[in-house]
Amino acid sequence: MSLIVTGSIGIDSIESPAGNVDNVLGGSAIYFAAAASFFSPVRLVAAVGEDFPAAFLEDFRHFNVDLAGLEQRQGSKTFRWRGRYHTNMNHRDTVSVELNVLAEKLPPVPGKYQDSEYIFLANTHPAGQIELLEQFPQRKLAVADTMDLWINNEKPTLLKLLQRVDGLVLNNDEAEMLAGDSNVIKAAARITELGPKFVVVKKGEHGVFVTHGGAKIVLPAWPAEAVVDPTGAGDSFAGGMMGYLASTGDLSANGLRKAMACGTIAASFNIESFSLGRLKQISRADIDARLREFSQMLRLDN
Ligand code: AMP
């Protein structure tokens, strides 16, 4: 079943305790699509500027992602972001952000994408998220991600979006900011009152909490020894999750739990390098092997 994403495509610069990199390929849609592509084909709709390096595009063709909806827009500049991680890599600061093409209209959706059923609105301007969503009235599932910048600066548009999606993924700080409650369980419950049927709260190394109807799902994170760069952890988590849901069509609570595990494992590989370095080295077999190990760690029945 077909999975489509919009979100940011960025030129990132990152300072982490494991080292610094300047001007590498990043962006929420990039991390999402790369991770999801291990589970399902992915269609991407997003714009970059005329400064976007051709080498990034060549590199990204490694993944099973349809790029017919990617526009290189003349006269515009690519989104840029610089982040700095604290010694405790659960915390980071945005040092600078240049929205550039993210503040403009989305490119047209290619006709061959019209039958997309699974929609992921990765982190980007909520106006762009709504613009894509409205083009898929027959969708089976629509899930969005968001971030502090949009919660602080674009709240009315974000609230409009929340009324229209089935699910929302966000991290614990963002959940607290959006719901005004520092308890993630209560914050997630409040957010469901804003529209989404399920809310996935990512808690970094402390795993994930999901509220779905009356049900709750909890999963720990993969016990990672070597974290090089957490950038894109949330997006690659969402990619594993949506890729699994689109490939199985299983939207039950059990399916959602398995999808969380796929997201956890996709993110666990992503954080082992800067940019897409690690995801480019692995195959679906590596993901499945780690999933089996993870599942063994979680066994409670004997
Ligand atoms: P994550 O670590 O999952 O939060 O995602 C980090 C990625 O999101 C980076 O590659 C950035 O280019 C991108 N990013 C940072 N800020 C924003 C923003 N406000 N909107 C969209 N994408 C962003």
Side-chain angles (χ1 to χ4, degrees):
M1 279 159 272
S2 42
L3 172 61
I4 190 169
V5 61
T6 192
S8 61
I9 298 183
I11 301 177
D12 285 353
S13 295
I14 293 147
E15 302 167 26
S16 107
N20 299 342
V21 291
D22 279 326
N23 302 325
V24 296
L25 176 59
S28 58
I30 288 292
Y31 284 110
F32 175 90
S37 71
F38 289 101
F39 297 89
S40 148
V42 189
R43 299 159 165 182
L44 185 142
V45 177
V48 294
E50 58 186 12
D51 55 345
F52 191 69
F56 282 3
L57 204 58
E58 277 322 300
D59 239 25
F60 193 65
R61 290 195 195 281
H62 169 89
F63 297 97
N64 187 15
V65 178
D66 187 326
L67 297 176
L70 173 65
E71 180 187 329
Q72 181 152 29
R73 193 167 290 164
Q74 295 310 308
S76 298
K77 284 167 89 181
T78 305
F79 170 71
R80 282 179 187 260
W81 177 77
R82 175 178 283 275
R84 182 182 297 141
Y85 288 89
H86 298 197
T87 314
N88 172 348
M89 285 201 260
N90 283 328
H91 298 286
R92 81 172 174 213
D93 300 317
T94 290
V95 179
S96 62
V97 58
E98 292 172 39
L99 291 184
N100 297 330
V101 78
L102 280 203
E104 300 172 15
K105 279 196 83 59
L106 271 192
V109 174
K112 64 173 182 171
Y113 288 3
Q114 291 303 334
D115 61 353
S116 302
E117 292 173 318
Y118 291 78
I119 322 284
F120 190 73
L121 307 164
N123 204 350
T124 188
H125 198 300
Q129 294 178 308
I130 291 178
E131 204 183 320
L132 188 80
L133 186 64
E134 284 183 338
Q135 296 181 60
F136 295 94
Q138 307 298 335
R139 60 189 177 258
K140 282 217 166 79
L141 181 75
V143 181
D145 191 353
T146 195
M147 211 172 184
D148 50 0
L149 181 78
W150 312 117
I151 298 172
N152 288 327
N153 298 355
E154 297 291 339
K155 197 147 180 201
T157 318
L158 181 62
L159 291 176
K160 217 165 113 189
L161 173 74
L162 294 185
Q163 286 165 8
R164 298 167 191 204
V165 292
D166 302 296
L168 180 70
V169 296
L170 70 185
N171 73 29
N172 47 319
D173 290 338
E174 292 152 358
E176 173 177 351
M177 198 180 284
L178 185 58
D181 197 315
S182 61
N183 178 295
V184 289
I185 320 298
K186 286 197 208 147
R190 286 228 178 124
I191 294 168
T192 59
E193 290 164 15
L194 302 175
K197 291 192 270 299
F198 68 89
V199 176
V200 179
V201 185
K202 301 163 290 179
K203 300 188 293 165
E205 66 176 327
H206 302 298
V208 63
F209 170 74
V210 186
T211 179
H212 183 221
K216 296 184 176 75
I217 302 171
V218 282
L219 269 192
W222 170 258
E225 282 175 34
V227 180
V228 173
D229 174 21
T231 305
D235 310 309
S236 51
F237 172 89
M241 172 188 110
M242 287 296 286
Y244 175 83
L245 293 174
S247 71
T248 61
D250 182 358
L251 300 179
S252 68
N254 200 34
L256 209 53
R257 187 179 306 112
K258 286 189 187 152
M260 297 305 141
C262 293
T264 299
I265 297 309
S268 77
F269 281 108
N270 180 60
I271 63 178
E272 292 175 0
S273 75
F274 287 105
S275 193
L276 296 175
R278 187 72 177 119
L279 292 185
K280 268 169 52 192
Q281 291 169 341
I282 63 166
S283 66
R284 176 66 189 260
D286 297 304
I287 294 197
D288 287 344
R290 198 175 275 187
L291 263 170
R292 283 193 294 276
E293 224 183 308
F294 191 50
S295 153
Q296 277 302 112
M297 290 175 191
L298 296 173
R299 283 186 72 168
L300 290 174
D301 52 354
N302 57 21

